[in-house]
Structures are given as C-alpha cells and as structure tokens.
Amino acid sequence: MSSEESNARLAEFNFQVGRHVYLSNDFTFPKLQRYMIKRELNGYKVEEGDETRSLIIDYLFEATSLGIFSELYQNLEFLNLSRIIGCHNIVPSIDPRGLNELTFLSINNCEDLECIMDASQSPQGESGNPMMLSKLARLYMQQLPELKQIWKAPAQHVSLQTLTALSVYECNNLTYIFSLSQTRSLVQLKSLEVSRCERLECIVKVKFDHNEGEISVEYENRILELSLLRNLSLGYLPELISFCSENYYSTWPALEKLDLRCCPNLTVNNTELEANLQYLGENLNTLDVEDCSHLRDTIPALLKHGLKNLEELNIVEIGVQVVFQVEAIIAEGQENKLFPCLESLQLEDLRELQVLLYHEGPTHNFSLQNLTDLTVRGCIKLRRLLSSTLARNLLQLEKLYIWKCWELEQIIDEDEDEDHLQPICFPKLTWIFVGHCPKLKYLFHISVAPSLQKLMKLEIFSNDELEEVFWDKDGAHVMDYDEIVMDELPYVSLKDLPNLTNFWPTGYQIPVPLARVCCCPKFRADSENSGAERPQTTNEEDASQEGDVSVDAREEEDDEKYD
C-alpha cells in the first residue's frame, strides 16, 4: 500500500475520533507525531487531547498483527499490552530497534511471554545494538505465567538507569528480578513492588557467569545501595529467602515505606539490619509486616532503636513477645524522640505477644504522644495493654479498637500505677470498641470518664466477665464527678455481656447514657446503684447493624481464624 493510500485511510480513520472502527488486514499506520490508539473488543479507537504517543492493545490480539504499528514504535512513549497471543518477548519481537523512546510499559495477562528483552533473539545477535529500552522509566507486569526472566541479555545490553518504578504481580515462573550488574545501574529506582510470584527466591541474584557480565565475588563490594528507593513492597512470596543472594545485601538510604506481607521464609541478617538502621530511623514513614515468621526477632530489634519519622506501624501474625523493647535508659529530654510522629498502631494476630512495652529504665521515658489510632486484635496472650504511664501520654488518641484478646484483664495496668494521683485523660477519644475479651472485668477507672468529652461511639460486645464499664476500687471512695456528662453520648451498644451489672461503679449517682442493650441479663440501667434516670432500649437488630462495621460480620470473618 502506498503512503498516499495509507494517509488517505488514516484521514478517514481520524474522522471518527472517539468511535470504534475496523481496519482492513493490509492497513499500516504511517509515522505520527501525536496519537493515542486503543485496540479493544469493538475495534480501534483514537482519543484526542493526549500529548503522549500512546498505544493500548487489549483483548486476544495476535502478536503477528502488531506489525501494523511498526512505523509508530520508533517514537512510541507509552505501551500497554494485554492478552496478546503468541508474544514471547517485547524486544526484539515487537521492535528490533529497541523501543528506545518508550518511557512506560505495562504488560498484562500475556500467557506466552517469556522475557521482556531477549538480546539472543535480536537480528544483530548479542553483539548488535546494545541500546534497548534505554529510556524506560515505569514497568508494570502482571499475570505472565511463562515469564522466566525480565532481561535476558549480557550486562552491556541492559541499562536500567532511567527506571523509576517496577511492579511485578503473579509471574509464577520468575525466581529473581535483577542480576547484580542490573542492580548497580538502578540509580533512579524509587518504587519496587513484587507480589504473588510463587517461585521467587530473591530480588537480586548474584551470578558467576562471566559471559553475562557478572564480576567475581572475591573482588566485589557486597553492598548494593538503592539510593533513591522510597517504596519497597514484597507480598505473598512463599519461596522468598532474602533480598540478595550469596551474602550480598542492600541498603535503602531514602526508604519511606516498607511493606512485607506473607513471606514466611524471608530473613534479614544482622549485617543488613545494622547497615540500614540509621537510614530507617531517619526516613521510614510506614512499616507494614504481616506473616513473616523469620522476622520475629528483626522487627523488635529495629523498633528498639526508634523511628523518629514513623507515622504508621502495622504488625500482623508474627511471633513477637514484645513490640517496643527499649533496652537502653533514655536520657532526660530524649524520651519523645523514639516515635515522635507515630499516629497509627495496629497489632493483629500476635499470638505470642505478652507486653506492648518492655523498658529497663523508667517507663515515663517512653511516649507515644501523637498516637491517634490504636488497634489490638487477636493478641491472645496479652494480659495488660497499656502501662498507666504510657496511657497518660496518649492525649491525641481518637480511636481504640480491641478484639479477641482472650487473656486481657486490664486495658490500663492499674496494679503498677506509681503516679495514681495524676489522672489518665483521653480528651480526643471519639470511638471505643472492645469485643471478645472474656477475662476483662471493666474498661477504665472512673477517673478517666471526665476526659471523654468527645466520645461519640462506645461499643462493647461479648466480654463474658465484664461487670462494670467504669470501676472504682471496692467502691470505697465515692468522689464527686459532676463534670462527667455522658448521658447524651450519641451511640452506646452493649451486647452479649452476661455479667454486666452497672455502667458506673456502685454508689455513683451519674445518669447512664441511652444504650442499645442486648443479652445483658444482669444490667441495671435505672437501679439506685447506678443512679440512671433514662430508659434503655433493647433492639438487637440495631446493635448488630449500626456502627462503622457490622459486629456480626466481624464475628463471621474471625470465627474461622480463631476457633
């Protein structure tokens, strides 16, 4: 077909911008300066207003048909391929010239793809043009069952100096991501996410084949620095053993977010941990660790040094006995520098957890003064959650969620309170949820109640031994708490509390908040002991359906896990 004919057809094609059209088998695109072409189930579609040179191909497209775009590949910037049949590699199969203007590449569900770049298949052979994908900045790959290597080429053919983001998802034949030489070229990498790759053993594999450009271990620096990496996420990788093989290790001077989930064989050796301690202590913002059993000693070892920019900490299904193990005595004036920015703390399914904080020095030197959200769930050996000293520092706490802590006897450890004359206050607390803690006899001492001026929601469920919501020791010293005003509390739900008798301690004449009460046979809402003047309501449907999340739904979700 002549260029005049091709241009004439393209003019007709462009006339239908925004609509799907069908092209003849002999159609080829001429060189274009600006375009965004989509090939979908209903045909091709061109969209206006996008300045990038973009090609999006989806829905069971034969790789042999990609030739119609051959004139576009040389200056193509954005390429998204999904469900392409018969494509074994991107370079050179799609473009032997190397796609050297491409900055974005996304490949999804291409069942025949074996590697992204294969220099051995290049028309020039392995000694051909070394420049391939030389401007690639973002690479996203998912559901590629036959992918065995990302880059199959000697070191001189692969330069990843422009790569800033890499995401790999469900590529179950991959055993590693980078070679040693490739890793050393990752000077711009900022985000690395790898998830659900069943055979992946390491992120960086050190090879000893000089034909692939690797250097002898004897003369190599074993530290691999990813100087700009800010986000590292590794999830659901059952065979992952380490970040680097062969006793190499990486450092992350700029890391802000670390997410490690369901990597049961992942280990971090002491050398690697010590090399990163200073960096993480200065920069880490978010730490998520879930079901990584070999990190049970690593996480407390990291936390004991303090992370002064950490805002979010989530620890799930790890055999730790202590979360904050502060061994050194903190100097006067340094107590708020361990976790001064921590706002959210989630502890879930820590079945060996016995204490939140262990401190050899004075406990008043440890503070979580900016914590707003505290969730403790499935910590079945925990007997006391907060020391009274730590509780006094939680002046910013807004949400408290406690669920299925079977041995929990006290939320605040009253037995070790050395400064009982100083009241514990939660002036910003808006939501309290406590459920399935069968040994808990009460929530808080009565002295806490005056500070709960912003409380909007109180939910208490299935705590078999709970007798009072607020307590006072032996009821011996009834004090005047006129400042307690909770009868207008918007939402109170009490459910399945067989031993609950009072909301307030015996002898206190304080109105009881209007509550949704279900299956609390001993509860006396208007007895002379409680001093309540307002009636209760009994609406089981309201008690289970209202609130942020259905209580029944939570129970159904957790029953299989805990029972």
Side-chain angles (χ1 to χ4, degrees), residues 18-257:
R19 297 174 55 190
H20 290 99
V21 297
Y22 289 91
L23 302 177
S24 61
N25 291 333
D26 61 347
F27 181 87
T28 58
F29 285 87
K31 289 185 178 180
L32 301 173
Q33 293 300 313
R34 181 174 62 86
Y35 52 89
M36 183 174 182
I37 302 170
K38 291 184 179 180
R39 198 282 186 184
E40 299 171 329
L41 175 62
N42 297 322
Y44 291 88
K45 185 177 181 180
V46 173
E47 295 186 357
E48 291 183 309
D50 197 311
E51 294 300 324
T52 62
R53 302 180 180 100
S54 304
L55 182 57
I56 302 171
I57 307 296
D58 192 8
Y59 196 75
L60 301 179
F61 197 74
E62 291 284 349
T64 54
S65 301
L66 293 172
I68 68 171
F69 306 107
S70 59
E71 293 297 326
L72 304 180
Y73 293 141
Q74 194 165 3
N75 64 3
L76 187 65
E77 297 173 354
F78 182 106
L79 178 59
N80 189 327
L81 300 176
S82 298
R83 290 174 283 188
I84 306 299
I85 299 172
C87 183
H88 296 284
N89 60 72
I90 304 301
V91 177
S93 293
I94 292 179
D95 181 27
R97 294 163 296 190
L99 291 171
N100 282 310
E101 295 298 317
L102 198 69
T103 60
F104 179 99
L105 176 59
S106 177
I107 312 166
N108 309 299
N109 201 13
C110 297
E111 60 183 23
D112 300 313
L113 194 73
E114 296 178 1
C115 64
I116 303 301
M117 183 175 70
D118 188 352
S120 67
Q121 300 298 319
S122 173
Q124 295 87 8
E126 293 190 0
S127 61
N129 179 13
M131 300 300 294
M132 297 180 180
L133 296 169
S134 59
K135 292 185 179 180
L136 188 64
R138 292 177 290 165
L139 175 58
Y140 301 94
M141 303 177 294
Q142 67 177 23
Q143 295 180 323
L144 306 175
E146 295 302 319
L147 189 74
K148 298 179 177 64
Q149 291 178 269
I150 300 177
W151 296 277
K152 185 179 180 182
Q156 65 268 23
H157 285 256
V158 182
S159 176
L160 306 179
Q161 293 184 3
T162 59
L163 191 67
T164 62
L166 174 62
S167 176
V168 186
Y169 177 80
E170 283 193 9
C171 298
N172 288 328
N173 260 320
L174 271 181
T175 58
Y176 70 97
I177 305 296
F178 304 110
S179 71
L180 177 61
S181 59
Q182 292 163 5
T183 306
R184 297 210 184 276
S185 70
L186 293 169
V187 293
Q188 297 292 329
L189 188 66
K190 296 178 181 178
S191 177
L192 176 59
E193 299 179 349
V194 186
S195 179
R196 299 187 185 276
C197 299
E198 293 180 354
R199 297 183 59 195
L200 195 78
E201 298 175 359
C202 59
I203 303 301
V204 180
K205 183 175 182 179
V206 180
K207 299 180 181 180
F208 304 100
D209 185 355
H210 291 281
N211 293 326
E212 295 202 10
E214 298 296 342
I215 304 173
S216 172
V217 173
E218 301 161 10
Y219 304 103
E220 267 296 288
N221 180 358
R222 293 179 178 270
I223 303 175
L224 302 175
E225 181 177 289
L226 299 176
S227 58
L228 295 184
L229 187 66
R230 291 181 172 84
N231 172 40
L232 176 58
S233 178
L234 306 174
Y236 304 92
L237 305 170
E239 299 300 321
L240 183 68
I241 298 173
S242 60
F243 193 89
C244 303
S245 68
E246 303 298 335
N247 293 321
Y248 277 65
Y249 61 91
S250 63
T251 57
W252 316 307
L255 195 66
E256 297 175 355
K257 181 178 180 181

Side-chain angles (χ1 to χ4, degrees), residues 10 114 150 167 176 342 440 451 468 495 506 525 540 548:
L10 186 62
E114 296 178 1
I150 300 177
S167 176
Y176 70 97
L342 189 63
L440 191 67
S451 69
E468 297 175 325
K495 181 182 179 182
T506 300
E540 184 172 0
D548 291 343

